[in-house]
DNA sequence: AACTGGCGTGAGAACCGTTCTCAACTGCTG
DNA sequence: CAGCAGTTGAGAACGGTTCTCACGCCAGTT
């Protein structure tokens, strides 16, 4: 459970791959990276409408950022699809079920053994996993739901 | 990683709660329980259309079965929502990314320690988790994708 | 400075999975 | 048989996501 390294220098990632880092992409990135909790695409689109960012562009940018590993899809307890950043380096989210605040952790030490046993028992060759932990953050516990 | 107990006696679950176990609900249950791999609601509806099961009924039954804990929602690697049974007793799915075959396991021993550490480190009170493991099953590995 | 080609963008339409509506039906009870 | 509560199916409605296409932007060229 080491703290994963935070995400930095997104522009460098784009530059490296020769992908333009446009005004819209910056705003969309900042929306997700600046939040400490997971947000839906709809929420991002609503928030950025005033800044002249079209809905289609938000969808496209989220796909792009996800492909680049700069955004991770998670689902809240009700199954709603949200996105959260940063996610550079492998990590998993601990999500507050009330306010969707996300704390990232690296839990692979715990999963690796399990995967080895599973592989041996089933013959599957394992290539990945999806682990999310749900809880209530201290703030939400204290004030019963308003949550930051 | 103990094998979880298989699901049995769904009729009893329904009877106990006073919920009618109709012809349609039986067919829908059998569709998911009889498959060894996760399926989407659309696939179930397509398969049962010929048996006079309406699409709305499939949606309603899947919600009902999920609420009763008789069906679990999983997502395949592309994020598609599928459902899989049986799921009586807590378990997690190991999913073949090619053919969606599901093998269930109980990995909570591995996750429990992690949760304790997370709780101590963050102050979150943890109430749940979502763990799926992805792999390629022996069949799909052998014949390169047809997968049973 | 004008031109050009390629990509990114936004408004709105199209699409499609999911939910809703409502009348018919089913299985009970008296 | 009448009454009632719950279930069902066809189709309409809904809403999130994707697509279309004209336009804007920028780098490179002349
Ligand atoms: Mn991991
Ligand atoms: Mn578990
Ligand atoms: Zn919270
Ligand atoms: Zn397979």
């Amino acid at each position: 459970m080491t703290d994963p390294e935070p995400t930095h220098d997104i522009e460098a990632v784009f530059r490296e791959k020769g992908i333009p880092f446009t005004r819209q992409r910056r705003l969309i990135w900042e929306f997700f990276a600046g939040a400490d909790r997971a947000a839906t695409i709809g929420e991002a689109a609503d928030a950025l409408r005033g800044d002249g960012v079209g809905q289609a562009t938000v969808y496209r940018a989220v796909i792009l950022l996800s492909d680049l590993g700069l955004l991770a899809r998670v689902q809240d307890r009700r199954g709603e699809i949200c996105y959260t950043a940063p996610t550079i380096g492998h990590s998993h989210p601990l999500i507050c079920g009330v306010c969707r605040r996300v704390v990232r952790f690296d839990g692979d030490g715990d999963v690796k053994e399990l995967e080895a046993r599973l592989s041996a028992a089933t013959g599957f060759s394992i290539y990945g996993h999806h682990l999310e932990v749900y809880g209530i953050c201290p703030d939400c516990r204290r004030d019963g739901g308003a949550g930051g």
Side-chain angles (χ1 to χ4, degrees), chain A:
Chain A
M1 197 180 73
T2 329
D3 283 344
E5 51 183 312
T7 298
H8 286 128
D9 218 352
I10 293 86
E11 299 191 44
V13 176
F14 276 76
R15 208 177 313 118
E16 223 164 83
K17 311 236 177 193
I19 301 170
F21 193 57
T22 62
R23 181 183 72 88
Q24 289 88 341
R25 285 169 181 171
R26 159 170 279 115
L27 285 166
I28 293 162
W29 164 253
E30 286 173 350
F31 175 84
F32 285 104
D36 63 348
R37 63 203 65 196
T40 64
I41 292 183
E43 288 163 356
D46 289 348
L48 299 174
R49 183 161 304 125
D51 300 320
V53 178
Q55 167 193 64
T57 302
V58 178
Y59 277 93
R60 289 187 282 235
V62 167
I63 292 171
L64 177 61
L65 290 166
S66 299
D67 286 351
L68 292 172
L70 297 168
L71 226 42
R73 171 171 49 197
V74 303
Q75 50 185 328
D76 67 17
R77 216 63 237 281
R78 302 195 314 289
E80 267 212 285
I81 305 292
C82 306
Y83 291 83
T84 176
T87 195
I88 286 290
H90 188 90
S91 66
H92 301 276
L94 166 60
I95 306 166
C96 174
V98 175
C99 69
R100 291 203 301 222
R101 193 193 317 267
V102 173
V103 176
R104 302 212 136 259
F105 62 91
D106 175 357
D108 274 14
D110 301 81
V111 180
K112 275 285 150 52
E113 289 172 54
L114 169 64
E115 291 188 354
R117 273 177 284 139
L118 277 176
S119 182
T122 64
F124 277 52
S125 54
I126 289 166
Y127 65 81
H129 57 250
H130 183 91
L131 172 63
E132 297 176 8
V133 179
Y134 303 100
I136 312 282
C137 74
D139 287 353
C140 288
R141 187 136 28 81
R142 187 178 315 117
D143 54 49

